[in-house]
Amino acid sequence: MSSAPGRPVSRRSVLLGAGSVGAAVAIASVAGCGYFGSDEPATPTIDLNPAALDPINGLIATTRLHILRLDAAIAADQADAGKLQPLRDDRQQHLDALTAEYARTNPGDPNATAAGATASAAPASGAVALPGSPEAIVSAVRGDAATAQVQFTDAISTASRYRAALYGTIAASLASHRAVLV
């Protein structure tokens, strides 16, 4: 209770008044009104293009990078080139299968035609830094296989049945690559 002359104000009335002012400020901010408001929308525009949101794009990029690293490893380490070449060939087949799947599910994408996706799908050039010793090069390639295997395994949970089988097959192949590179 207040000791000032006049009508006493209860604590409940003060809290109710403060809550009302807070609610009015919240409603005004949600409605887009504010001291520093503008005519811009409150939320950013998001591209909901299904092709842009497709997780296969990251898997294709990872596979292309892995192919570039394998090419660089084969060129740098002649002693292990015989062991690395079949792994590179497998990764190229993985890339061909992934790009064909992307082209199948995105027929409207001009960059995803089946002929363009599978014919020389790996980039022709790219600078890839590798360690200096042959043991370190093999270790780096093994690390790439381990990272890619985790990415493909993680992608299985949100994929369609066909893609889940494709991702599982690639993940199993990457596990065998890791075993070869021990």
Side-chain angles (χ1 to χ4, degrees):
M1 293 289 186
S2 172
S3 62
R7 189 167 178 219
V9 179
S10 70
R11 194 174 335 158
R12 181 178 292 165
S13 297
V14 171
L15 292 175
L16 182 63
S20 298
V21 170
V25 168
I27 291 172
S29 66
V30 170
C33 302
Y35 294 115
F36 306 107
S38 67
D39 293 335
E40 297 296 319
T43 57
T45 304
I46 298 173
D47 181 16
L48 296 177
N49 179 5
L53 301 174
D54 194 349
I56 200 170
N57 292 324
L59 299 174
I60 289 171
T62 297
T63 305
R64 284 187 173 153
L65 178 61
H66 198 189
I67 289 171
L68 282 175
R69 288 186 56 112
L70 280 165
D71 286 341
I74 290 167
D77 183 9
Q78 294 300 317
D80 291 318
K83 179 172 37 174
L84 296 175
Q85 186 61 48
L87 306 181
R88 194 255 182 244
D89 295 341
D90 282 351
R91 293 303 281 153
Q92 182 63 51
Q93 290 176 356
H94 299 163
L95 181 60
D96 292 345
L98 290 167
T99 54
E101 170 59 12
Y102 181 80
R104 183 187 69 82
T105 58
N106 298 292
D109 188 351
N111 298 325
T113 62
T118 57
S120 81
S125 66
V128 178
L130 288 175
S133 71
E135 295 82 19
I137 290 173
V138 170
S139 177
V141 172
R142 185 182 327 111
D144 288 344
T147 302
Q149 181 184 2
V150 169
Q151 289 174 338
F152 279 96
T153 303
D154 289 348
I156 290 172
S157 63
T158 59
S160 67
R161 280 192 273 169
Y162 175 77
R163 280 194 180 180
L166 176 64
Y167 297 165
T169 302
I170 293 172
S173 176
L174 289 166
S176 71
H177 289 191
R178 292 174 61 197
V180 167
L181 294 170
V182 173

